[in-house]
């Protein structure tokens, strides 16, 4: 199995581009380590190498994801996200602990967080909606990426009109979070909720607009009609 990871890493290195590496840094406030590979290329490489391991038991594939997360390299974390998503039909309720550990231990930037949460944990919650309350404690975590994950993990289900109650419960917990990455995360969750529940999101924003961080508010109302956005942006005296 180690040879599979080394072969994968060699392939990633072969596609490294210093120009891409340098330009990608502007999307992150925190330092990141990367090869400098376009996301579409990483996805294709992930698919190619997954074909070599897809016959393995789920636990072994999760095991192969560990060194990819441990490396701290952005593209390797993306491969781990893709591989864990590709085996979604094999998910079981106990896999939640693995995904939770990955977020808490390895995620250090918004891109890795969103890649894992919109795919792997998002699909897990779609498959096991009765487990959705397990992400709520993440919203109280000292780890900002866990807090962002509590919101972003709902987005896959929210796109299908699910988890409306949990959306507002998590938004309440994160409402005054000081971290902009968390504000953007729950704002994105609310914006996505607008597709099916625009009135409910608008009413939520109007109730909280005087104290809601402007970053979160702007994200939440982005897809609303102009007149509603205008009302939401006016602070009441």
């Amino acid at each position: 199995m180690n040879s599979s990871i080394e072969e994968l890493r060699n392939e990633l290195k072969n596609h490294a581009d210093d120009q891409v590496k340098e330009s990608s840094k502007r999307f992150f406030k925190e330092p990141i380590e990367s090869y400098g590979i376009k996301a579409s290329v990483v996805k294709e490489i992930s698919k190619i190498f997954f074909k070599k391991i897809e016959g393995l038991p789920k636990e072994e594939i999760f095991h192969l994801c560990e060194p990819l997360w441990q490396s701290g390299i952005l593209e390797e974390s993306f491969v781990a996200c893709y591989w864990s998503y590709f085996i979604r039909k094999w998910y079981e309720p106990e896999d939640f602990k693995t995904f939770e550990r990955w977020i808490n231990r390895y995620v250090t930037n918004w891109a890795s967080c969103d890649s894992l949460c919109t795919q792997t944990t998002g699909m897990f919650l779609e498959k096991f909606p009765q487990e959705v309350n397990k992400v709520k404690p993440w919203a109280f975590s000292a780890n900002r990426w866990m807090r962002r994950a509590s919101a972003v993990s709902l987005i896959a289900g929210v796109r299908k009109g699910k988890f409306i109650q949990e959306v507002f419960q998590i938004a309440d917990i994160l409402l005054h979070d000081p971290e902009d990455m968390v504000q953007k995360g729950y704002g994105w969750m609310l914006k996505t909720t607008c597709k099916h529940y625009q009135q409910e999101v608008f009413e939520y924003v109007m109730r909280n607009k005087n104290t809601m961080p402007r970053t979160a508010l702007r994200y939440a109302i982005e897809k609303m009609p102009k007149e509603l956005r205008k009302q939401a942006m006016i602070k009441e005296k």
Side-chain angles (χ1 to χ4, degrees):
M1 287 192 286
N2 288 338
S3 62
S4 298
I5 297 299
E6 287 310 309
E7 189 180 352
L8 167 69
R9 284 174 169 158
N10 288 334
E11 184 67 15
L12 290 170
K13 290 173 184 176
N14 287 338
H15 287 81
D17 185 318
D18 287 339
Q19 191 171 358
V20 173
K21 181 178 181 179
E22 196 58 35
S23 64
S24 66
K25 290 179 181 179
R26 62 191 172 95
F27 296 106
F28 300 88
K29 290 185 177 181
E30 57 282 320
I32 62 162
E33 187 175 353
S34 72
Y35 293 118
I37 309 173
K38 291 182 178 179
S40 59
V41 176
V42 177
K43 186 173 185 178
E44 286 307 308
I45 293 173
S46 299
K47 289 179 178 178
I48 291 168
F49 277 82
F50 180 73
K51 289 178 181 178
K52 301 180 181 183
I53 65 169
E54 62 181 332
L56 294 174
K58 176 190 65 179
E59 289 73 20
E60 291 189 31
I61 294 176
F62 283 165
H63 184 69
L64 285 170
C65 291
E66 288 289 333
L68 298 176
W69 280 113
Q70 290 167 359
S71 74
I73 299 174
L74 189 65
E75 292 87 351
E76 292 193 17
S77 77
F78 290 165
V79 175
C81 292
Y82 283 125
W83 284 1
S84 60
Y85 175 70
F86 291 159
I87 57 174
R88 58 193 180 276
K89 65 181 179 181
W90 299 336
Y91 288 169
E92 299 170 287
E94 55 267 29
D95 294 330
F96 181 85
K97 292 181 180 179
T98 296
F99 307 146
E100 182 176 54
R101 181 172 55 80
W102 286 351
I103 298 167
N104 194 40
R105 185 173 296 181
Y106 301 129
V107 168
T108 58
N109 60 77
W110 65 263
S112 296
C113 180
D114 295 358
S115 183
L116 180 62
C117 294
T118 58
Q119 297 179 102
T120 302
T121 58
M123 184 54 63
F124 174 88
L125 292 177
E126 278 203 64
K127 188 171 182 179
F128 303 108
Q130 69 275 16
E131 304 290 321
V132 69
N133 284 331
K134 289 185 176 181
V135 304
K136 288 183 189 175
W138 298 358
F140 295 100
S141 174
N143 182 338
R144 62 175 169 164
W145 303 115
M146 290 289 287
R147 301 201 303 277
R148 182 180 174 101
S150 70
V152 178
S153 292
L154 298 186
I155 286 175
V158 164
R159 285 173 176 154
K160 298 180 180 179
K162 300 178 181 179
F163 306 138
I164 181 64
Q165 181 179 347
E166 290 77 17
V167 161
F168 293 117
Q169 289 172 348
I170 287 178
D172 278 344
I173 298 168
L174 300 177
L175 187 61
H176 301 119
D177 197 289
E179 293 282 351
D180 68 333
M181 285 291 104
V182 179
Q183 295 168 17
K184 290 176 181 178
Y186 88 78
W188 179 19
M189 175 185 68
L190 290 172
K191 175 174 67 175
T192 307
T193 305
C194 278
K195 179 180 179 181
H196 297 281
Y197 299 98
Q198 178 179 279
Q199 186 59 33
E200 287 84 348
V201 174
F202 177 68
E203 290 173 0
Y204 181 84
V205 169
M206 292 298 287
R207 286 196 304 272
N208 294 288
K209 65 178 182 177
N210 279 356
T211 61
M212 190 176 188
R214 302 306 265 183
T215 296
L217 190 150
R218 289 190 182 96
Y219 266 71
I221 66 175
E222 185 178 328
K223 298 295 184 180
M224 290 183 186
K226 184 177 180 180
E227 184 54 40
L228 295 186
R229 296 200 309 270
K230 191 174 179 181
Q231 291 181 53
M233 289 298 293
I234 300 172
K235 282 192 174 184
E236 297 174 358
K237 295 182 180 179

